[in-house]
Structures are given as C-alpha cells and as structure tokens.
Amino acid sequence: NTYRFFSEEMNSLAVERMTLVRDLHNAVEEEAFRVHYQPRVDVNDGRIVGVEALVRWQHPGVGLLPPSQFLGVAEDEGLISEIDHFVLNAALRQYRAWMDGEVTPPPRLTINISARTLRMAGLPETLRRMLREHGVDAHCLEIEVKEGDVMDDPPASIQRLRSLQDLGVRVAIDDFGTGYSAFGMLRQLPITGLTVAGSFIRNVLTETGDAQIVTAIIALAQSLRLSLVAKGVETPEHLAFLEHHNCSIAQGLLYSRPLPAREMDRVLAEGGVLVPVKS
C-alpha cells in the first residue's frame, strides 16, 4: 500500500557507494593511508604539549581524503579496526623516529580508536606488543574514545578502559558533551582527560547554550582533576574565551592544521613552540 519514485540520482549514489567500498577494501589491503599530526598547544606559552594522530586516505584517483569521507563507510564495512591498527603502528613508529632523531618529541601522542576496536578482547595485548616493538613508553600514549562508544555499555567500558590504564596508557573521552553520559557515571570511568568538541567551540561566541556547555565542561574537568583539550580553536576570540575560563590546552587551525610527519619535524626542530596564526 505504498508507492516509490525512482530518480537517476538514486542509481548514481548507489554506484558511488559501491565504488567507494571497493576502493576502500583495496586501500586496507595496500595500506594506502597517511597519518598527519595536529599539535596541542599550551595557550599560556605556546608550547606543544602533544599531537593527535589523524588518518588520511591517499586515494589513487581523487588524492588525499579526510576521514569524514571514508571512516563512516569503513565502520559499516567492518574495516575500521584494520585502519585503527594501521594508525597505531604508523604513529608509534613516527614517535620512535622523533625520539631517535634530533628533535624533542611532543610529551604525548594521542590516537583515537573506534568502538569496534575498543571491544576487541585482545586490544590490551596488541597495544603492549606495539609499544614494545616500537620502544615507546606507555605513559607517552593517550587513547581517545568517543563518549557514545563508552556509554553504550558502561560496565563493560569501565573494564575495557581499566585494562588500558593498567598498561600505563592514558585514556580520554573525545568530544565530551555530544553523547548521552551522566556526570555521575563520568566519575566512575577510569579516564585521565576529556576533549571539548569543535562544534561547541565554533559557536561559543554566538550561542549562549554552547558557551554554557563549554564552561560547564571546563569546570567539571577541573573538579575531577582531568586534563582538558579544546578542539576546533580557529579564532583569537575562541582563544580569549578559553583563556578567560582557564582552559589551558587548545587544538585547531588558529595554531596549526594537521601536518604530515615531515612538516611536524620542522615545527619540533624550531623549538616546538607555536603562536596563534594572524588572520
């Protein structure tokens, strides 16, 4: 008792999706990914206090693709854990190269993992093996997980996160405030930090609600003695807001875009200090 209208656009979208899935399977087999690094900066003195490893896909026909264009498909196709493992290996290898080179590595390397990877029973042992193979101390690594991925099953998540902390790895909740967590539950999670989503920072000067959310998250992190990173900091006004509310670590285009390893080498060689980019 229904009817449907067909359009050529439906067919073209289906073909595009099939092509993307096929190319992504090939990319996983060929490890056709690149890792870029975005600095996290102490707003008080400009020191780089960490870097976040961010994956890119070197597509043979299109060029370098950002994660927003393929990670969702990777999750749907069950390929996300393979990409997570690639990023972990590549980023730890690069961190070791910084340690062995002539630059001082950033104090912390942050890597995001998906819900599928977090649920893997062998994740702690995999991380232990990777850290040992690359010769990187566990305390230099921070694993970020999405808030919603943790809150889907809090008791199991607490156990999984604790197993990571037992390795000496730091654990943070990414984009806090965009999911459905209760503040009471947050106290029970074995975590060391939070990040504020760039979507909140973007509107912090124009939307009263977003400003209130950001100030509440800052106060919450301070009361629970958690580290806090504000993402998506793009303007001097964003930075002034964070400074006024005592959020000391910022990440975003105001300081630097995500950089290939070679460009990150140059920044570190120049002293590992960044100043806000003047518009």
Side-chain angles (χ1 to χ4, degrees), residues 116-174:
R116 183 184 291 266
T117 300
L118 179 64
R119 290 194 296 266
M120 293 177 60
L123 178 61
E125 184 53 40
T126 297
L127 281 177
R128 182 183 290 109
R129 174 179 53 79
M130 287 182 177
L131 289 165
R132 185 172 60 247
E133 285 180 358
H134 296 292
V136 175
D137 290 336
H139 72 268
C140 296
L141 176 63
E142 180 179 61
I143 296 296
E144 280 186 356
V145 294
K146 294 290 185 184
E147 181 183 3
D149 296 342
V150 172
M151 293 306 164
D152 282 345
D153 186 355
S157 295
I158 289 172
Q159 200 170 28
R160 294 177 186 123
L161 298 181
R162 186 167 289 123
S163 69
L164 298 183
Q165 279 204 336
D166 288 344
L167 296 176
V169 171
R170 296 172 64 88
V171 180
I173 301 297
D174 193 23

Side-chain angles (χ1 to χ4, degrees), residues 56-75:
R56 303 288 187 266
W57 176 9
Q58 189 65 56
H59 192 285
V62 182
L64 204 63
L65 295 179
S68 60
Q69 294 189 23
F70 64 89
L71 284 189
V73 176
E75 293 211 25

